[in-house]
Amino acid sequence: EQSRLKTIFFENGKVLFEYDETDREDMPGSRALKKIILEDINGVKIKQVFFDHEYTTSTDLTNMNSFLATFSSSLSARKRLFLKSVQIADKDNVTLPPYRFEYNATVLPSRFSNSVDAWGYYNGKNNGYFLERGVDDRSVDAEKVQAGMLTSVIKPEGGRTNFYYE
């Protein structure tokens, strides 16, 4: 079970956290953050922030640690949750255009994949069912390591910030 923050009280009001009503597809027993609400001391909404998510699903069923895979649904281990957009609403519930997020299109493998470099990042190498010292290929793959990384933020005004990794 995931511990979830529900409320933060402060001198002039409180911040409320709302989560999806259903479990996350990638982590059963967990819930994705749906909304943050800022209220004044009288319980009047000042601002709301809405979160929209999307999943990717790995199709790679090879090279998985079979011992770990037995403890969880292989389907949930193949899914990854990404933040798609953030939208802000004012006290009158008027929403601004959203901040949108784009990610590297290379789909991440299962969480139980052994296709990892020496730092634990995806490298696409066939390391078998168990990582064995001297037998596996833990080298870095400059392209695969960027799988699922944030590539740009598109701002409500139309501007864009791009991210480049070395």
Coordinates of all heavy atoms in Angstrom, one line a residue, residues 59-146:
T59 N 6.8 -4.1 -25.0 CA 6.4 -5.3 -25.7 C 7.6 -6.3 -25.5 O 7.4 -7.5 -26.0 CB 6.2 -5.1 -27.2 OG1 7.3 -4.4 -27.7 CG2 4.9 -4.2 -27.3
D60 N 8.6 -5.9 -24.9 CA 9.8 -6.8 -24.7 C 9.6 -7.8 -23.5 O 9.6 -7.3 -22.4 CB 11.1 -6.0 -24.5 CG 12.3 -6.8 -24.4 OD1 12.3 -8.0 -24.6 OD2 13.4 -6.2 -24.1
L61 N 9.4 -9.0 -23.8 CA 9.2 -10.0 -22.8 C 10.4 -10.9 -22.5 O 10.4 -11.8 -21.8 CB 8.0 -10.9 -23.1 CG 6.7 -10.2 -23.3 CD1 5.6 -11.2 -23.8 CD2 6.3 -9.5 -22.0
T62 N 11.5 -10.5 -23.1 CA 12.8 -11.3 -23.0 C 13.6 -10.6 -21.9 O 13.4 -9.5 -21.5 CB 13.6 -11.3 -24.3 OG1 13.9 -10.0 -24.7 CG2 12.8 -12.0 -25.4
N63 N 14.6 -11.3 -21.5 CA 15.7 -10.7 -20.6 C 15.1 -10.2 -19.3 O 15.6 -9.2 -18.7 CB 16.3 -9.6 -21.4 CG 17.8 -9.4 -21.0 OD1 18.4 -10.3 -20.4 ND2 18.3 -8.2 -21.2
M64 N 14.1 -10.9 -18.8 CA 13.5 -10.5 -17.5 C 14.0 -11.4 -16.4 O 14.2 -12.6 -16.5 CB 12.0 -10.5 -17.5 CG 11.4 -9.4 -18.4 SD 9.6 -9.3 -18.5 CE 9.0 -9.9 -16.9
N65 N 14.2 -10.8 -15.2 CA 14.6 -11.5 -14.0 C 13.4 -12.3 -13.6 O 12.4 -11.8 -13.1 CB 15.0 -10.6 -12.9 CG 15.5 -11.3 -11.7 OD1 14.8 -12.2 -11.2 ND2 16.6 -10.9 -11.2
S66 N 13.4 -13.7 -13.9 CA 12.2 -14.5 -13.7 C 11.9 -14.6 -12.2 O 10.7 -14.8 -11.8 CB 12.4 -15.9 -14.3 OG 13.6 -16.5 -13.7
F67 N 12.8 -14.5 -11.3 CA 12.6 -14.5 -9.8 C 11.7 -13.4 -9.4 O 10.7 -13.5 -8.7 CB 13.9 -14.6 -9.1 CG 13.7 -14.6 -7.6 CD1 13.3 -15.7 -6.9 CD2 13.9 -13.4 -6.8 CE1 13.1 -15.8 -5.6 CE2 13.7 -13.5 -5.5 CZ 13.3 -14.6 -4.8
L68 N 12.1 -12.1 -9.8 CA 11.3 -11.0 -9.5 C 9.9 -10.9 -10.2 O 8.9 -10.5 -9.6 CB 12.1 -9.7 -9.9 CG 13.3 -9.4 -9.1 CD1 14.0 -8.2 -9.6 CD2 13.0 -9.2 -7.6
A69 N 9.9 -11.4 -11.4 CA 8.6 -11.4 -12.2 C 7.6 -12.3 -11.5 O 6.4 -12.0 -11.7 CB 8.9 -11.8 -13.6
T70 N 7.9 -13.2 -10.7 CA 6.9 -14.1 -10.1 C 6.2 -13.4 -9.0 O 5.1 -13.8 -8.6 CB 7.6 -15.4 -9.5 OG1 8.5 -15.0 -8.6 CG2 8.2 -16.2 -10.6
F71 N 6.7 -12.3 -8.5 CA 6.1 -11.6 -7.4 C 5.1 -10.5 -7.8 O 4.5 -9.9 -7.0 CB 7.1 -10.9 -6.5 CG 7.9 -11.9 -5.7 CD1 9.3 -12.1 -6.1 CD2 7.4 -12.6 -4.7 CE1 10.0 -13.1 -5.4 CE2 8.1 -13.6 -4.0 CZ 9.4 -13.8 -4.3
S72 N 5.0 -10.2 -9.1 CA 4.1 -9.2 -9.6 C 3.5 -9.6 -10.9 O 4.1 -10.4 -11.6 CB 4.9 -7.9 -9.7 OG 4.0 -6.9 -10.2
S73 N 2.4 -9.0 -11.3 CA 1.8 -9.2 -12.6 C 2.8 -8.7 -13.6 O 3.3 -7.6 -13.6 CB 0.5 -8.4 -12.7 OG 0.2 -8.2 -14.0
S74 N 3.1 -9.6 -14.6 CA 4.0 -9.2 -15.6 C 3.5 -8.0 -16.5 O 4.2 -7.2 -17.0 CB 4.4 -10.4 -16.5 OG 3.2 -10.9 -17.2
L75 N 2.1 -7.9 -16.6 CA 1.6 -6.8 -17.3 C 1.8 -5.5 -16.6 O 2.2 -4.5 -17.2 CB 0.1 -7.0 -17.6 CG -0.6 -5.9 -18.4 CD1 0.0 -5.7 -19.7 CD2 -2.1 -6.2 -18.5
S76 N 1.6 -5.4 -15.3 CA 1.8 -4.2 -14.6 C 3.3 -3.8 -14.6 O 3.6 -2.6 -14.6 CB 1.3 -4.3 -13.1 OG 2.0 -5.2 -12.4
A77 N 4.2 -4.8 -14.6 CA 5.6 -4.5 -14.6 C 6.0 -3.9 -15.9 O 7.1 -3.3 -16.0 CB 6.4 -5.7 -14.3
R78 N 5.2 -4.2 -17.0 CA 5.6 -3.7 -18.3 C 5.1 -2.3 -18.6 O 5.4 -1.7 -19.6 CB 5.0 -4.6 -19.4 CG 5.7 -6.0 -19.4 CD 5.1 -7.0 -20.3 NE 4.5 -6.5 -21.5 CZ 3.4 -7.0 -22.0 NH1 2.8 -8.0 -21.5 NH2 2.9 -6.4 -23.1
K79 N 4.2 -1.8 -17.7 CA 3.6 -0.4 -17.9 C 4.4 0.6 -17.1 O 5.0 0.4 -16.1 CB 2.2 -0.4 -17.4 CG 1.3 -1.3 -18.2 CD -0.1 -0.9 -18.0 CE -1.0 -1.7 -19.0 NZ -1.5 -0.8 -20.0
R80 N 4.4 1.8 -17.7 CA 5.1 3.0 -17.1 C 4.1 4.2 -17.2 O 3.6 4.5 -18.2 CB 6.4 3.3 -17.8 CG 7.4 2.2 -17.9 CD 8.0 1.8 -16.5 NE 8.9 0.8 -16.6 CZ 10.2 0.8 -16.3 NH1 10.7 1.9 -15.8 NH2 11.0 -0.2 -16.5
L81 N 4.0 4.9 -16.0 CA 3.1 6.1 -16.0 C 3.9 7.3 -16.3 O 5.0 7.5 -15.7 CB 2.5 6.2 -14.6 CG 1.5 7.3 -14.4 CD1 0.3 7.1 -15.2 CD2 1.2 7.4 -12.9
F82 N 3.4 8.2 -17.2 CA 4.1 9.5 -17.5 C 3.1 10.6 -17.3 O 1.9 10.5 -17.5 CB 4.5 9.5 -19.0 CG 5.7 8.6 -19.2 CD1 5.5 7.2 -19.5 CD2 7.0 9.1 -19.2 CE1 6.6 6.4 -19.8 CE2 8.1 8.3 -19.5 CZ 7.9 6.9 -19.7
L83 N 3.6 11.7 -16.8 CA 2.8 12.9 -16.7 C 2.7 13.6 -18.1 O 3.7 13.9 -18.7 CB 3.5 13.9 -15.7 CG 2.8 15.2 -15.5 CD1 1.4 15.0 -14.8 CD2 3.7 16.1 -14.6
K84 N 1.4 13.7 -18.5 CA 1.2 14.2 -19.9 C 1.0 15.7 -19.9 O 1.4 16.4 -20.7 CB -0.1 13.5 -20.4 CG -0.5 13.8 -21.8 CD -1.7 12.9 -22.2 CE -2.2 13.3 -23.5 NZ -3.4 12.4 -23.8
S85 N 0.2 16.2 -18.8 CA 0.0 17.7 -18.8 C -0.4 18.1 -17.4 O -0.8 17.3 -16.5 CB -1.1 18.1 -19.8 OG -2.3 17.6 -19.4
V86 N -0.2 19.4 -17.1 CA -0.6 20.0 -15.9 C -1.4 21.3 -16.3 O -1.0 22.1 -17.1 CB 0.6 20.4 -15.0 CG1 0.2 21.2 -13.8 CG2 1.5 19.2 -14.6
Q87 N -2.6 21.4 -15.7 CA -3.4 22.5 -16.0 C -3.9 23.2 -14.7 O -4.2 22.6 -13.7 CB -4.7 22.1 -16.8 CG -5.4 23.2 -17.4 CD -6.4 22.7 -18.5 OE1 -6.8 21.6 -18.4 NE2 -6.8 23.6 -19.4
I88 N -3.9 24.6 -14.7 CA -4.2 25.3 -13.5 C -5.5 26.1 -13.7 O -5.8 26.6 -14.8 CB -3.0 26.4 -13.3 CG1 -1.7 25.6 -13.0 CG2 -3.4 27.3 -12.1 CD1 -0.5 26.5 -13.0
A89 N -6.3 26.0 -12.6 CA -7.6 26.7 -12.6 C -7.6 27.8 -11.5 O -7.1 27.5 -10.4 CB -8.8 25.8 -12.4
D90 N -8.1 28.9 -11.8 CA -8.2 30.0 -10.7 C -9.4 29.8 -9.8 O -10.1 28.8 -10.0 CB -8.1 31.4 -11.4 CG -9.4 31.7 -12.2 OD1 -10.4 31.0 -12.1 OD2 -9.3 32.7 -13.0
K91 N -9.6 30.7 -8.9 CA -10.7 30.6 -7.9 C -12.1 30.6 -8.6 O -13.0 30.1 -8.0 CB -10.6 31.8 -6.9 CG -10.8 33.2 -7.6 CD -10.6 34.2 -6.5 CE -10.8 35.6 -7.2 NZ -10.7 36.7 -6.3
D92 N -12.2 31.1 -9.8 CA -13.5 31.1 -10.5 C -13.6 29.9 -11.4 O -14.5 29.8 -12.2 CB -13.6 32.4 -11.4 CG -13.7 33.6 -10.5 OD1 -14.3 33.6 -9.4 OD2 -13.0 34.6 -10.9
N93 N -12.7 28.9 -11.3 CA -12.6 27.7 -12.0 C -12.4 27.9 -13.5 O -12.7 27.1 -14.3 CB -13.9 26.9 -11.8 CG -13.6 25.4 -11.7 OD1 -12.5 25.0 -11.4 ND2 -14.6 24.6 -12.0
V94 N -11.7 29.0 -13.8 CA -11.3 29.3 -15.2 C -10.0 28.7 -15.4 O -9.0 28.9 -14.6 CB -11.2 30.8 -15.5 CG1 -10.7 31.1 -16.9 CG2 -12.6 31.5 -15.3
T95 N -9.9 27.8 -16.4 CA -8.6 27.1 -16.6 C -7.8 27.8 -17.7 O -8.3 28.3 -18.7 CB -8.8 25.6 -17.0 OG1 -9.6 25.6 -18.2 CG2 -9.5 24.8 -15.9
L96 N -6.5 27.8 -17.5 CA -5.5 28.2 -18.5 C -5.2 27.1 -19.3 O -5.4 25.9 -19.0 CB -4.3 28.8 -17.7 CG -4.6 29.9 -16.7 CD1 -3.3 30.2 -16.0 CD2 -5.0 31.2 -17.5
P97 N -4.6 27.3 -20.5 CA -4.1 26.2 -21.3 C -3.1 25.4 -20.5 O -2.4 26.0 -19.6 CB -3.4 26.9 -22.5 CG -4.1 28.2 -22.6 CD -4.4 28.6 -21.2
P98 N -2.9 24.1 -20.8 CA -2.0 23.3 -20.0 C -0.6 23.4 -20.3 O -0.2 23.8 -21.4 CB -2.5 21.9 -20.3 CG -3.0 22.0 -21.7 CD -3.6 23.3 -21.8
Y99 N 0.3 23.0 -19.4 CA 1.7 22.7 -19.6 C 1.7 21.3 -20.1 O 1.1 20.4 -19.5 CB 2.5 22.8 -18.4 CG 2.8 24.2 -17.8 CD1 1.9 24.8 -17.0 CD2 3.9 24.9 -18.2 CE1 2.1 26.1 -16.5 CE2 4.1 26.2 -17.7 CZ 3.2 26.8 -16.8 OH 3.4 28.0 -16.4
R100 N 2.3 21.0 -21.3 CA 2.3 19.7 -21.8 C 3.8 19.1 -21.8 O 4.7 19.9 -22.0 CB 1.8 19.6 -23.2 CG 0.3 19.9 -23.2 CD -0.4 19.9 -24.6 NE 0.1 21.0 -25.4 CZ 0.6 20.9 -26.6 NH1 0.7 19.7 -27.2 NH2 1.0 22.0 -27.3
F101 N 3.9 17.9 -21.6 CA 5.2 17.2 -21.5 C 5.4 16.2 -22.6 O 4.5 15.4 -22.8 CB 5.4 16.6 -20.1 CG 5.1 17.6 -19.0 CD1 3.9 17.7 -18.4 CD2 6.2 18.4 -18.5 CE1 3.7 18.6 -17.4 CE2 5.9 19.3 -17.5 CZ 4.7 19.4 -17.0
E102 N 6.6 16.2 -23.2 CA 6.9 15.2 -24.2 C 8.2 14.4 -23.8 O 9.1 15.0 -23.1 CB 7.2 15.9 -25.6 CG 6.0 16.6 -26.1 CD 6.3 17.3 -27.5 OE1 7.4 17.5 -27.8 OE2 5.3 17.6 -28.1
Y103 N 8.2 13.2 -24.1 CA 9.2 12.3 -23.7 C 9.9 11.5 -24.8 O 9.3 11.4 -25.9 CB 8.7 11.2 -22.7 CG 8.0 11.8 -21.5 CD1 6.7 12.2 -21.5 CD2 8.7 12.1 -20.3 CE1 6.1 12.8 -20.4 CE2 8.1 12.6 -19.2 CZ 6.8 13.0 -19.3 OH 6.2 13.6 -18.2
N104 N 11.1 11.0 -24.6 CA 11.7 10.2 -25.7 C 10.8 9.0 -26.0 O 10.3 8.4 -25.0 CB 13.1 9.8 -25.1 CG 13.8 8.9 -26.2 OD1 13.5 7.8 -26.4 ND2 14.9 9.5 -26.7
A105 N 10.6 8.8 -27.2 CA 9.7 7.7 -27.7 C 10.1 6.3 -27.4 O 9.3 5.4 -27.5 CB 9.3 7.9 -29.1
T106 N 11.4 6.1 -27.1 CA 11.8 4.7 -26.9 C 11.1 4.2 -25.6 O 11.2 4.8 -24.5 CB 13.4 4.7 -26.6 OG1 14.0 5.2 -27.8 CG2 13.8 3.2 -26.4
V107 N 10.4 3.1 -25.8 CA 9.6 2.5 -24.7 C 10.5 1.8 -23.7 O 11.4 1.0 -24.1 CB 8.5 1.6 -25.2 CG1 7.7 0.9 -24.1 CG2 7.6 2.4 -26.1
L108 N 10.4 2.1 -22.4 CA 11.1 1.4 -21.4 C 10.8 -0.1 -21.3 O 9.6 -0.4 -21.6 CB 10.9 2.1 -20.0 CG 11.6 3.4 -19.9 CD1 10.9 4.2 -18.8 CD2 13.1 3.3 -19.6
P109 N 11.7 -0.9 -20.9 CA 11.3 -2.3 -20.7 C 10.6 -2.6 -19.4 O 10.3 -1.6 -18.7 CB 12.7 -3.0 -20.7 CG 13.6 -2.0 -20.0 CD 13.1 -0.7 -20.6
S110 N 10.3 -3.8 -19.2 CA 9.7 -4.2 -17.9 C 10.5 -3.7 -16.7 O 11.8 -3.6 -16.9 CB 9.5 -5.7 -17.8 OG 9.3 -6.1 -16.5
R111 N 9.9 -3.4 -15.6 CA 10.7 -3.1 -14.4 C 11.6 -4.2 -14.0 O 12.6 -4.0 -13.2 CB 9.8 -2.7 -13.2 CG 9.2 -1.3 -13.4 CD 8.5 -0.8 -12.1 NE 7.6 -1.8 -11.5 CZ 6.4 -2.0 -11.8 NH1 5.8 -1.3 -12.8 NH2 5.7 -2.8 -11.1
F112 N 11.3 -5.4 -14.4 CA 12.1 -6.6 -14.0 C 13.2 -7.0 -15.1 O 13.7 -8.0 -15.1 CB 11.2 -7.8 -13.8 CG 10.2 -7.5 -12.7 CD1 8.9 -7.8 -12.9 CD2 10.6 -7.0 -11.5 CE1 8.0 -7.5 -11.9 CE2 9.7 -6.7 -10.5 CZ 8.4 -7.0 -10.7
S113 N 13.4 -6.1 -16.1 CA 14.3 -6.3 -17.1 C 15.8 -6.3 -16.6 O 16.1 -5.5 -15.7 CB 14.2 -5.3 -18.2 OG 15.2 -5.4 -19.2
N114 N 16.6 -7.2 -17.2 CA 18.0 -7.2 -16.8 C 18.8 -6.4 -17.9 O 20.0 -6.4 -17.9 CB 18.5 -8.6 -16.7 CG 18.1 -9.2 -15.4 OD1 17.9 -8.6 -14.4 ND2 17.8 -10.5 -15.5
S115 N 18.1 -5.7 -18.8 CA 18.8 -4.9 -19.8 C 19.2 -3.6 -19.2 O 18.7 -2.5 -19.6 CB 17.9 -4.7 -21.0 OG 17.6 -5.9 -21.6
V116 N 20.1 -3.6 -18.3 CA 20.5 -2.4 -17.6 C 22.1 -2.2 -17.6 O 22.8 -3.2 -17.6 CB 20.0 -2.3 -16.2 CG1 18.5 -2.2 -16.1 CG2 20.5 -3.5 -15.4
D117 N 22.5 -1.0 -17.6 CA 23.9 -0.7 -17.6 C 24.4 -0.8 -16.1 O 23.6 -1.1 -15.2 CB 24.3 0.6 -18.2 CG 23.7 1.8 -17.6 OD1 23.3 1.8 -16.4 OD2 23.6 2.9 -18.3
A118 N 25.6 -0.4 -15.9 CA 26.2 -0.5 -14.5 C 25.5 0.5 -13.5 O 25.6 0.3 -12.3 CB 27.7 -0.2 -14.6
W119 N 24.8 1.5 -14.0 CA 24.1 2.4 -13.1 C 22.6 2.1 -13.0 O 21.9 2.9 -12.4 CB 24.3 3.9 -13.6 CG 25.7 4.3 -13.5 CD1 26.3 4.8 -12.4 CD2 26.8 4.1 -14.4 NE1 27.6 5.0 -12.5 CE2 28.0 4.6 -13.8 CE3 26.9 3.6 -15.7 CZ2 29.2 4.6 -14.4 CZ3 28.1 3.6 -16.3 CH2 29.2 4.1 -15.7
G120 N 22.1 1.1 -13.7 CA 20.7 0.7 -13.6 C 19.8 1.3 -14.7 O 18.6 1.1 -14.7
Y121 N 20.4 2.0 -15.7 CA 19.7 2.6 -16.8 C 19.5 1.6 -17.9 O 20.4 0.7 -18.1 CB 20.3 3.8 -17.3 CG 20.2 5.0 -16.3 CD1 21.3 5.3 -15.5 CD2 19.1 5.7 -16.2 CE1 21.2 6.3 -14.5 CE2 19.0 6.8 -15.2 CZ 20.1 7.1 -14.4 OH 20.0 8.1 -13.5
Y122 N 18.4 1.7 -18.6 CA 18.2 0.8 -19.8 C 19.3 0.8 -20.8 O 19.7 1.9 -21.2 CB 16.8 1.2 -20.4 CG 16.4 0.3 -21.6 CD1 16.4 -1.1 -21.5 CD2 16.0 0.9 -22.7 CE1 16.0 -1.8 -22.6 CE2 15.6 0.2 -23.8 CZ 15.6 -1.2 -23.8 OH 15.2 -1.9 -24.8
N123 N 19.8 -0.4 -21.2 CA 20.8 -0.4 -22.3 C 20.5 -1.3 -23.4 O 21.2 -1.4 -24.4 CB 22.2 -0.7 -21.7 CG 22.3 -2.1 -21.2 OD1 21.4 -2.9 -21.3 ND2 23.5 -2.5 -20.8
G124 N 19.4 -2.0 -23.3 CA 18.9 -2.9 -24.4 C 19.7 -4.1 -24.6 O 19.5 -4.9 -25.6
K125 N 20.7 -4.4 -23.8 CA 21.6 -5.6 -23.9 C 20.9 -6.9 -23.4 O 20.1 -6.8 -22.4 CB 22.9 -5.4 -23.2 CG 23.6 -4.1 -23.5 CD 24.1 -4.1 -24.9 CE 24.9 -2.8 -25.1 NZ 25.0 -2.4 -26.4
N126 N 21.2 -8.0 -24.0 CA 20.7 -9.3 -23.5 C 21.5 -9.8 -22.4 O 22.6 -10.4 -22.6 CB 20.6 -10.3 -24.7 CG 19.9 -11.6 -24.3 OD1 19.5 -11.7 -23.1 ND2 19.9 -12.5 -25.2
N127 N 21.1 -9.6 -21.2 CA 21.8 -10.1 -20.0 C 21.2 -11.3 -19.3 O 21.5 -11.6 -18.2 CB 21.9 -8.9 -19.0 CG 22.8 -7.8 -19.5 OD1 23.8 -8.0 -20.1 ND2 22.4 -6.6 -19.2
G128 N 20.3 -12.0 -20.0 CA 19.7 -13.2 -19.5 C 18.8 -13.0 -18.4 O 18.3 -11.9 -18.1
Y129 N 18.5 -14.1 -17.6 CA 17.5 -14.0 -16.5 C 18.1 -13.5 -15.2 O 17.4 -13.0 -14.4 CB 16.9 -15.4 -16.3 CG 16.1 -15.9 -17.5 CD1 16.5 -17.0 -18.2 CD2 14.9 -15.3 -17.8 CE1 15.8 -17.4 -19.3 CE2 14.2 -15.7 -18.9 CZ 14.6 -16.8 -19.6 OH 13.8 -17.2 -20.7
F130 N 19.4 -13.6 -15.1 CA 20.0 -13.1 -13.8 C 21.3 -12.3 -14.2 O 22.0 -12.8 -15.1 CB 20.4 -14.2 -12.9 CG 19.2 -15.0 -12.4 CD1 18.9 -16.2 -12.9 CD2 18.5 -14.5 -11.3 CE1 17.8 -16.9 -12.5 CE2 17.4 -15.2 -10.9 CZ 17.0 -16.4 -11.4
L131 N 21.6 -11.2 -13.6 CA 22.8 -10.5 -13.9 C 24.0 -11.2 -13.2 O 24.0 -11.4 -12.0 CB 22.7 -9.1 -13.3 CG 21.7 -8.2 -14.0 CD1 21.5 -6.9 -13.3 CD2 22.1 -7.9 -15.5
E132 N 24.9 -11.7 -14.0 CA 26.0 -12.4 -13.4 C 27.3 -11.6 -13.8 O 27.5 -11.3 -14.9 CB 26.1 -13.8 -14.1 CG 24.9 -14.7 -13.7 CD 25.0 -16.0 -14.4 OE1 26.1 -16.5 -14.6 OE2 23.9 -16.6 -14.8
R133 N 28.1 -11.4 -12.8 CA 29.3 -10.6 -12.9 C 30.2 -11.3 -14.0 O 30.5 -12.5 -13.9 CB 30.0 -10.5 -11.6 CG 31.0 -9.4 -11.5 CD 31.4 -9.3 -10.1 NE 32.1 -8.0 -9.9 CZ 31.6 -6.9 -9.7 NH1 30.3 -6.8 -9.7 NH2 32.3 -5.8 -9.5
G134 N 30.7 -10.5 -14.9 CA 31.6 -11.0 -16.0 C 30.9 -11.6 -17.2 O 31.5 -11.7 -18.2
V135 N 29.6 -12.0 -17.0 CA 28.9 -12.6 -18.1 C 28.0 -11.6 -18.8 O 27.8 -11.7 -20.0 CB 28.0 -13.8 -17.6 CG1 27.2 -14.4 -18.7 CG2 28.9 -14.8 -16.9
D136 N 27.5 -10.7 -18.1 CA 26.5 -9.7 -18.6 C 27.2 -8.5 -19.3 O 28.4 -8.3 -19.1 CB 25.6 -9.2 -17.6 CG 26.3 -8.7 -16.3 OD1 27.5 -8.9 -16.3 OD2 25.7 -8.1 -15.5
D137 N 26.5 -7.8 -20.1 CA 27.0 -6.6 -20.8 C 26.4 -5.3 -20.1 O 25.2 -5.0 -20.4 CB 26.6 -6.6 -22.2 CG 27.2 -5.4 -23.0 OD1 27.8 -4.5 -22.4 OD2 27.1 -5.4 -24.2
R138 N 27.1 -4.7 -19.2 CA 26.5 -3.6 -18.4 C 27.0 -2.3 -19.0 O 27.0 -1.2 -18.3 CB 27.0 -3.7 -16.9 CG 26.6 -5.0 -16.3 CD 25.1 -5.2 -16.1 NE 24.5 -4.3 -15.2 CZ 24.4 -4.4 -13.9 NH1 24.9 -5.4 -13.3 NH2 23.8 -3.4 -13.2
S139 N 27.4 -2.3 -20.2 CA 27.9 -1.0 -20.9 C 26.7 -0.1 -21.1 O 25.6 -0.5 -21.3 CB 28.6 -1.3 -22.2 OG 27.7 -1.9 -23.1
V140 N 27.1 1.2 -21.2 CA 26.1 2.3 -21.5 C 25.8 2.3 -23.0 O 26.7 2.2 -23.8 CB 26.6 3.6 -21.0 CG1 25.6 4.7 -21.4 CG2 26.9 3.6 -19.5
D141 N 24.5 2.4 -23.3 CA 24.1 2.6 -24.7 C 23.5 4.1 -24.7 O 22.4 4.3 -24.1 CB 23.0 1.6 -25.1 CG 22.5 1.8 -26.5 OD1 22.1 2.9 -26.9 OD2 22.6 0.8 -27.3
A142 N 24.2 5.0 -25.4 CA 23.8 6.4 -25.4 C 22.4 6.7 -25.9 O 21.8 7.6 -25.5 CB 24.8 7.2 -26.2
E143 N 21.9 5.8 -26.8 CA 20.5 6.0 -27.3 C 19.5 5.4 -26.4 O 18.5 6.1 -26.0 CB 20.4 5.4 -28.7 CG 21.2 6.1 -29.8 CD 20.8 7.5 -30.0 OE1 19.6 7.8 -30.0 OE2 21.7 8.4 -30.1
K144 N 19.7 4.2 -26.0 CA 18.7 3.5 -25.1 C 18.6 4.1 -23.7 O 17.5 4.1 -23.1 CB 19.1 2.0 -24.9 CG 19.2 1.2 -26.2 CD 17.9 0.6 -26.5 CE 18.0 -0.4 -27.7 NZ 17.0 -0.3 -28.6
V145 N 19.6 4.7 -23.2 CA 19.6 5.3 -21.9 C 18.6 6.4 -21.8 O 18.1 6.8 -20.7 CB 21.0 5.7 -21.4 CG1 21.5 7.0 -22.1 CG2 21.1 5.9 -19.9
Q146 N 18.3 7.0 -23.0 CA 17.3 8.2 -23.0 C 15.9 7.7 -23.1 O 15.0 8.6 -23.1 CB 17.7 9.1 -24.2 CG 19.1 9.7 -24.0 CD 19.4 10.7 -25.1 OE1 18.5 11.5 -25.4 NE2 20.6 10.6 -25.6

